[in-house]
């Protein structure tokens, strides 16, 4: 045995100290194949840990011992096990070095995981209490650390929590050892996982220790002990995630403390960053408490000065200022905007008036990070905010101008219509910034330009010559990331200008073809990727005939890019293929086999790569929440991003190539279903979208007859659609039940709306009960993804909620409306459930977006259910009439639609209500800033007339009605409006006969726009014009522009 131990020790030394890699490999093989192949390795390794004079050898022996205990412990004789246990307890108190001592503690914990549940190591408990109560600090350190290590791997001490908490109440105030105090904090963090919510006494004791834990962290920070402080920060982050309310009584003091850490310039930037990071998670997990305590204002007021500090040049380096912006963004996206934005806006305005450019920069970035979560709230203030940004764009200091570009980009991403309306102000400012000599300014200016162009539409045409001159010049003169942004802007310019981009096509493609051959370094690959992506947008703009001569060469280059081991290049290649398939459709089919193979390969990539393990590292450096298995891998988020794009592309390729893609449907759907519960929410959203896209495409190519509303299903799905639906819907619904991300659920609802409206009730017939239950949970705010909305004190008043939460409610209501449309009268039992929930969202205290959502959804239900809506007539009529006078355009528009749908479908005689309804609708025909308001009022009046023509004074109503035509925005109402006019013409209504010229002028205008009428309505209008030509020869229709339709 002595020789075995000596040889083992020598082999361990060879692993550690040899400079010959072959010798290290040989020694490692010997350890695994020779020494660790028998149970004797356990006592032998204990002997090495006990006797080796070299701490590195003791450390490595302890690490290996922990692994071998797991393999061999049950196979050892009892007396050997007892001897090992005794030696370990003896040697650990004598070990002076922390690394081998910690590794030995983990060996004891591993054995304890096996022995404590069977009560076969009673000495351990006594040993730990003796150590923790010892007069020797080193012994106390050992005792607490072993308890910590045991809690890491087992719940074996779950029955001893009360006693251990009492023990920790002494060790956390240890007067001599910072190590004891810090390790106690770590042990408490692990112990908390095992406290159940019914253990009130234990929760109370733990809660009482929180101030001591804060004090320990403060001591670490004040003493400059960053390693210990980092461990304490991790514990507080963990405690936020617990379901038991151990922090709730201390939220205010914790927020104040961590704000003070973030603001304290005597601490290192890393420590300040960790303090601010805690605040981010506190906002997410304690949002209700933060709102109740009215902490939002003090938080923003404390964060803004931090945000106004200098930032490091390295854009990837975290700093207190950058974390302050992230915390402000977290406030904006998780809390109701009316609680966050007004306070922040005060600070923004104040800082913009400061002489300090850092404060002005902070104002601009603060605005940039708040836009995302406050879109609907700040819409009425858009012009005020844009004026502030324009001031920033012209600031004398470059750091402020650069930050203003960020703010402009944020606004452009969310307010494309409003930005487009202000193009005459913005474009000259952005062009000026593009001319600046500072590369960082030109880069951000191009970024802002890229965002503006996305929504500019035809307005881009007046700028196109100057714009392309600048971009083509910058394409040849700029470098690095700026050049890539210029390429992206060219793609956006092409997207906005469409066919008008064609004159620039040859010059652009000559540059981009060259860029698509780059491969020397990461910057080259990034430029190649962005160029590939942009060419997809350019192909869509110029069309297949212009692009076709370059197609094969560019497809070859894009395919080559897939094999250059760069995830970003593969993503952009997939974007390119999706765009090209949309342009070339069937002509794209020869490329499908190779591309689908690569897409499926991307879907199958592993995000986890083996972690290179250094056995001599202290395992305490690893995340304590990770299991041993987790520690072997590193998650690569770039692969997840690639999977997201691959999933989207599979759906788009099938959509655009249709029958040519059929051979690949089965393997593609198999991979998408595999990915549907991926850990990345982006991948889950993309797979959901792709699976529903597959359903819609299959339906489109099945040539099915039009579906009919109601259950049971009158017109069954095509067998191929039904077979695919049987795979997809159960997958979607299972994932929905367990989904914890609100935006994924929003995606599910949105995709299901599009799919059921296209494919009809057959898609949901077998699943309507489950879908309705999921939706009901959302309206009750009990869905799994909403659970963070309530902490231990319950929900706040529902009148105020974060916009992302409101977006979820809105998406759910859209799905309720769609289900009403496809189920018709069969929706009645579900309407009885959902109408009361949705009606609650129409009251004055609700934001306009929620009032609009509620009225719109109820209108869809009234429209979809047909006569089934009758029992809700009185309730809905009262709500709709009230909403007709709402201050918000969109609400009035939706109310008008709802009035029309209700009057049309209810079986109650509403004619007695008509005078009041017409009076309420009349203001909607005049001076409306949103065209949809008047359009929907027209639709409502048309439905009322068709239902009860004798109850409407046509001579008074029709002049106002016809003057509002043609419709300007909501062309869905064209069908209703012109059906009425055709009826009036055929019935030879007197007013219509006397004003035929006005009607023909309307017909002339609407027929000149091919996309505003559905084909059957357009054809019926043409037939009516032909009849009128015969009936009214004096109108000389043949010689008018309508003559072209008489052939």
């Amino acid at each position: 045995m002595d020789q075995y131990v000596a040889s083992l020790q020598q082999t361990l030394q060879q692993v550690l100290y040899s400079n010959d890699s072959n010798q290290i490999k040989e020694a490692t093989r010997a350890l695994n194949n020779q020494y660790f192949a028998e149970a004797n390795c356990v006592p032998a390794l204990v002997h090495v840990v006990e006797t080796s004079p070299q701490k590195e050898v003791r450390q490595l022996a302890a690490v290996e011992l922990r692994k071998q205990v797991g393999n061999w412990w049950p196979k050892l004789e009892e007396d050997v096990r007892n001897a090992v246990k005794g030696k370990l307890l003896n040697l650990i108190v004598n070990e002076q070095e922390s690394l081998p001592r910690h590794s030995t503690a983990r060996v004891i914990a591993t054995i304890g995981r096996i022995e404590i549940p069977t009560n076969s190591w009673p000495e351990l408990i006594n040993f730990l209490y003796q150590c923790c109560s010892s007069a020797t600090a080193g012994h106390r350190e050992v005792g607490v650390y072993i308890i910590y290590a045991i809690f890491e791997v087992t719940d074996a001490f779950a029955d001893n929590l009360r006693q251990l908490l009492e023990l920790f109440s002494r060790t956390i105030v240890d007067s001599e050892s910072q190590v004891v105090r810090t390790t106690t904090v770590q042990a408490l963090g692990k112990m908390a996982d095992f406290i159940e919510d019914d253990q009130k006494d234990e929760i109370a004791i733990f809660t009482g220790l929180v101030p001591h834990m804060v004090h320990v962290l403060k001591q670490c920070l004040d003493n400059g002990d960053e390693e210990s402080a980092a461990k304490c920060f991790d514990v507080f982050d963990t405690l936020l995630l617990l379901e038991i309310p151990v922090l709730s009584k201390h939220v205010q003091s914790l927020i104040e403390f961590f704000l003070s850490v973030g603001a304290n310039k005597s601490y290192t930037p890393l420590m300040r960053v960790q303090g601010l990071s805690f605040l981010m998670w506190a906002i997410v997990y304690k949002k209700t408490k933060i709102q109740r305590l009215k902490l939002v204002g003090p938080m923003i007021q404390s964060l803004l000065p931090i945000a106004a500090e200098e930032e490091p040049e390295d854009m990837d380096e975290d700093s207190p200022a950058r974390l302050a912006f992230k915390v402000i963004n977290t406030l904006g996206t998780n809390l109701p905007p009316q609680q966050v934005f007004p306070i922040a806006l005060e600070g923004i305005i104040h800082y913009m008036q400061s002489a300090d450019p850092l404060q002005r920069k902070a104002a601009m970035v603060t605005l940039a990070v708040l836009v995302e979560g406050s879109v609907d709230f700040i819409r009425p203030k858009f012009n005020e905010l844009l004026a502030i940004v324009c001031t920033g764009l012209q600031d004398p200091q470059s750091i402020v101008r650069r930050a203003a570009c960020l703010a402009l980009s944020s606004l452009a991403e969310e307010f494309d219509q409003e930005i487009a309306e202000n193009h005459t102000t913005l474009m000259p400012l952005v062009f000026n910034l593009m001319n600046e000599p500072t590369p960082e300014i030109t880069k951000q200016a191009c970024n802002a330009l890229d965002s503006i162009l996305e929504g500019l539409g035809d307005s881009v045409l007046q700028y196109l010559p100057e714009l392309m001159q600048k971009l083509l010049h910058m394409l040849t003169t700029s470098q690095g990331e700026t050049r890539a942004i210029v390429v992206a802007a060219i793609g956006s310019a092409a997207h906005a200008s469409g066919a008008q981009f064609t004159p620039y096509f040859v010059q652009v493609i000559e540059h981009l073809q060259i860029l698509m051959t780059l491969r020397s370094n990461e910057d080259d690959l990034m430029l190649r990727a962005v160029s590939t992506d942009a060419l997809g947008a350019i192909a869509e703009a110029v069309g297949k005939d212009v692009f076709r001569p370059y197609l094969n060469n560019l497809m070859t280059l894009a395919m080559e890019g897939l094999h250059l081991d760069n995830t970003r290049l593969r993503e952009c290649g997939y974007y390119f293929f999706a765009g090209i398939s949309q342009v070339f459709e069937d002509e794209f089919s020869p490329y499908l086999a190779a591309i689908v193979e690569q897409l499926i390969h991307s879907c199958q990539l592993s995000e986890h790569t083996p972690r290179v393990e250094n056995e001599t590292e202290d395992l305490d450096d690893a995340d304590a929440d990770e299991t041993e298995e987790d520690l072997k891998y590193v998650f690569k988020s770039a692969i997840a991003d690639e999977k997201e794009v691959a999933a989207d592309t599979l759906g788009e390729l099938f959509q655009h190539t249709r029958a040519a893609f059929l051979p690949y449907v089965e393997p593609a759907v198999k991979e998408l279903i595999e990915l549907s519960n991926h850990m990345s929410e982006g991948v889950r959203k993309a797979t959901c979208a792709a699976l529903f896209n597959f359903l819609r495409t299959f339906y489109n190519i099945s040539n099915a007859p039009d579906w009919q509303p109601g259950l049971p299903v009158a017109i069954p799905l095509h067998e191929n659609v039904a077979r695919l639906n049987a795979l997809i819907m159960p997958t979607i619904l299972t994932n929905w039940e367990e989904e914890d991300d609100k935006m994924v659920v929003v995606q599910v609802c949105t995709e299901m709306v599009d799919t059921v409206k296209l494919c009809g009730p057959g898609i949901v017939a077998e699943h309507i009960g489950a879908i309705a239950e999921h939706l009901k949970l959302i309206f009750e705010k009990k869905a799994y993804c909403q659970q963070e909305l309530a902490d231990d004190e319950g929900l706040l008043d529902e009148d105020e909620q974060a916009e992302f939460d409101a977006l979820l409610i809105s998406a759910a209501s859209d799905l309720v409306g769609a289900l009403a449309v496809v189920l018709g009268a069969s929706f009645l039992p579900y309407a009885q459930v959902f109408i009361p929930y949705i009606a609650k969202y129409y009251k004055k205290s609700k934001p306009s977006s929620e009032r609009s959502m509620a009225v719109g959804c109820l209108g869809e239900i009234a429209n979809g259910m047909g006569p089934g809506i009758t029992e809700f007539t009185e309730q809905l009529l009262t709500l709709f009439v009230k909403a007709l006078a709402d201050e918000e355009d969109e609400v009035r528009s939706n109310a008008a639609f709802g009035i029309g749908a209700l009057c049309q479908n209810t079986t109650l005689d509403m004619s007695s209500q008509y005078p009041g309804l017409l009076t309420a609708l009349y203001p909607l025909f005049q001076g409306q800033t949103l065209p949809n308001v008047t359009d929907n009022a027209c639709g409502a009046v048309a439905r009322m007339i068709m239902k009860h023509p004798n109850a409407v004074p046509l001579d008074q109503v029709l002049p106002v009605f016809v003057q509002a035509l043609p419709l300007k925005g909501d062309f869905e109402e064209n069908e209703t409006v012109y059906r009425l006019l055709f009826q009036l013409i055929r019935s030879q209504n007197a007013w219509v006969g006397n004003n035929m010229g006005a009607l023909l002028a309307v017909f002339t205008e609407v027929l000149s726009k091919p996309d505003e009428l559905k084909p059957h309505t357009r054809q019926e209008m043409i037939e009516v014009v032909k009849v009128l030509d015969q009936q009214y020869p004096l109108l000389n229709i043949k010689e008018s522009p309508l003559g072209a339709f008489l052939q």
Side-chain angles (χ1 to χ4, degrees), residues 717-947:
L717 296 171
H718 186 279
E719 61 178 331
N720 289 341
V721 181
R723 194 179 307 119
L724 188 59
N725 193 48
L727 288 173
I728 289 175
M729 283 300 287
T731 300
I732 294 292
L733 293 175
T734 299
N735 293 341
W736 185 353
E737 184 175 1
E738 301 168 355
E739 181 55 62
D740 62 0
D741 186 274
K742 287 188 284 290
M743 297 311 295
V744 177
V745 178
V746 168
Q747 185 83 38
V748 170
C749 293
T750 303
E751 296 293 340
M752 201 175 291
V753 166
D754 292 342
T755 306
V756 298
K757 282 187 172 181
L758 174 69
C759 308
I763 291 293
V764 295
E766 296 180 13
H767 310 283
I768 185 62
I771 294 170
E773 183 59 30
H774 288 326
L775 290 169
K776 180 170 173 281
L777 288 173
I778 290 174
F779 288 115
E780 292 174 341
K781 298 188 177 177
K782 294 179 180 177
Y784 191 63
C785 64
Q786 295 168 298
Q787 291 310 296
E788 88 286 358
L789 289 174
D791 60 20
D792 49 287
E793 296 198 7
L795 289 164
L796 277 174
D797 180 4
E798 62 179 17
D799 284 353
E800 293 186 356
Q801 58 183 334
E803 287 198 355
F804 283 3
D805 300 320
L807 192 59
L808 174 63
I809 300 291
S810 179
S813 73
D814 287 344
L815 181 51
V816 169
L819 292 174
V821 169
V822 299
L823 297 185
S826 304
F827 190 71
L828 179 60
Y830 306 104
Q832 291 166 340
V833 173
F834 290 122
I835 284 178
Y837 280 120
I838 295 164
K840 288 180 182 178
Y841 284 89
Y842 186 75
K843 51 184 177 179
K844 194 170 184 179
S845 57
K846 292 286 189 182
S848 60
S849 60
E850 293 182 26
R851 301 199 308 275
S852 175
M853 172 274 293
V855 178
C857 178
L858 294 172
E860 285 291 328
I861 293 173
N863 187 51
M865 285 184 66
I869 199 64
T870 299
E871 73 173 74
F872 307 102
T873 301
E874 184 176 349
Q875 177 186 0
L876 293 184
L877 181 63
T878 302
L879 188 149
F880 288 149
V881 170
K882 183 178 178 182
L884 283 176
D886 196 279
E887 62 187 24
E888 184 65 31
D889 294 342
E890 193 69 45
V891 179
R892 297 196 301 276
S893 176
N894 289 345
F897 176 80
I899 288 283
L902 188 63
C903 289
Q904 181 180 35
N905 289 328
T906 182
T907 58
L908 298 180
D909 186 348
M910 297 273 289
S911 58
S912 63
Q913 303 285 340
Y914 273 25
L917 292 178
L918 290 170
T919 300
L921 285 165
Y922 178 70
L924 275 58
F925 285 86
Q926 303 171 29
Q928 300 297 314
T929 56
L930 181 70
N932 288 31
V933 177
T934 302
D935 292 350
N936 277 304
C938 286
V941 170
R943 288 181 169 89
M944 292 168 66
I945 294 172
M946 286 188 284
K947 186 66 178 282

Side-chain angles (χ1 to χ4, degrees), residues 96-117:
Q96 300 301 307
E97 298 288 343
S98 63
L99 292 182
R101 186 166 66 218
H102 287 177
S103 294
T104 303
R106 293 180 186 279
V107 177
I108 293 171
T110 302
I111 297 173
R113 180 170 58 183
I114 303 168
E115 300 268 318
I116 294 172

Side-chain angles (χ1 to χ4, degrees), residues 433-447 474 482 485-486:
L433 293 168
M434 290 169 66
N435 292 333
E436 289 207 17
T438 309
E440 196 60 34
I441 294 286
T442 55
K443 181 176 78 173
Q444 294 304 333
C446 286
N447 252 335
M474 293 179 71
T482 301
I485 295 171
V486 169

